[in-house]
Amino acid sequence: MNTLWRTHFRGREPLVLGVLVSGSGTNLQAIIDEIDRGSLNAKIAVVVSNIASAKALDRARTAGIPTVVLDHKAFADRAAFDTKLVETLLAHHVTCVVFAGFMRIVTSVVLRAFPNRVVNIHPSLLPAFPGVNAQAQAVAYGARLSGCTVHFVDEGTDTGPIIAQRGVPVYDDDDEASLRERILRKEHALLPTVLQWIADGRIEIDTSGDGTRARVRLKPYS
Ligand code: GAR
């Protein structure tokens, strides 16, 4: 068992989050709101966006959170971008990295710097519909159930160990936009919940299986 997360306990050390965004930032807002309500024991040390015009940056500024823009087009390759990203996160003493609508694949540069400490939210029930436009993929496929997944990030595209999922129905008259909205409501509840599990030290990564796939276990409150 990887017991990395057990170093955090409720009421003691808040998680120090680095939240990565590319878009409107409603998941970032959900995290901010739960911290404000006192139901998430965390602080957001920095919000990093690869898109300068992302609305998420306005949300962060309104909440008084430091922001950094790293335009991926200004870097020679992914590794160069990721090196700067890691430098930025470490400079803000981040202990847990959250991809909240961050539309970039990261390399081992990030994963080595934050082993088992990078979490992504994806708008489908993985392993169905990975990658971009997951909601449109679900509608086009005719799926009757979709939802969202929070998982640890690995080097694949939406392939890392699954932490938690929530389902929503897909209705006959759904389009991408209506399904997106229904899934987002679940995302906004699930992501802060998972972060609190991490803050509580309740998440263990079990690598003791047949070696093909690590699995996440949620420990009961102790
Ligand atoms: C969310 O639906 C999130 O799951 C998705 O982008 C949206 C961001 O919304 N992420 C991905 O598709 C990652 N592959 P937000 O900016 O309003 O939080």
Side-chain angles (χ1 to χ4, degrees), residues 6-91:
R6 296 172 72 177
T7 54
H8 296 279
F9 294 99
R10 184 202 287 273
R12 289 176 57 189
E13 257 179 276
L15 282 182
V16 182
L17 303 176
V19 182
L20 275 50
V21 295
S22 300
S24 77
T26 62
N27 277 290
L28 167 67
Q29 191 66 55
I31 297 169
I32 293 170
D33 292 347
E34 292 309 315
I35 292 172
D36 284 351
R37 277 189 199 109
S39 48
L40 173 55
N41 183 23
K43 108 177 210 194
I44 304 176
V46 64
V47 169
V48 182
S49 177
N50 62 315
I51 308 285
S53 60
K55 187 170 173 224
L57 290 168
D58 297 331
R59 296 178 189 273
R61 289 181 195 116
T62 301
I65 299 165
T67 60
V68 174
V69 175
L70 297 179
D71 178 359
H72 56 276
K73 296 190 288 301
F75 293 85
D77 53 27
R78 284 187 192 278
F81 175 86
D82 284 1
T83 300
K84 184 67 184 171
L85 178 58
V86 167
E87 200 181 295
T88 304
L89 294 168
L90 291 177

Side-chain angles (χ1 to χ4, degrees), residues 130-143:
V132 294
N133 301 327
Q135 306 92 334
Q137 291 184 58
V139 171
Y141 197 89

Side-chain angles (χ1 to χ4, degrees), residues 132-180:
V132 294
N133 301 327
Q135 306 92 334
Q137 291 184 58
V139 171
Y141 197 89
R144 290 305 189 184
L145 187 67
S146 191
C148 56
T149 302
V150 178
H151 64 95
F152 286 116
V153 174
D154 67 8
E155 288 185 43
T157 302
D158 303 318
T159 52
I162 290 171
I163 305 172
Q165 298 182 301
R166 294 291 181 267
V168 302
V170 184
Y171 297 121
D172 288 346
D173 59 354
D174 266 328
D175 57 15
E176 181 183 1
S178 60
L179 183 58
R180 168 179 289 115

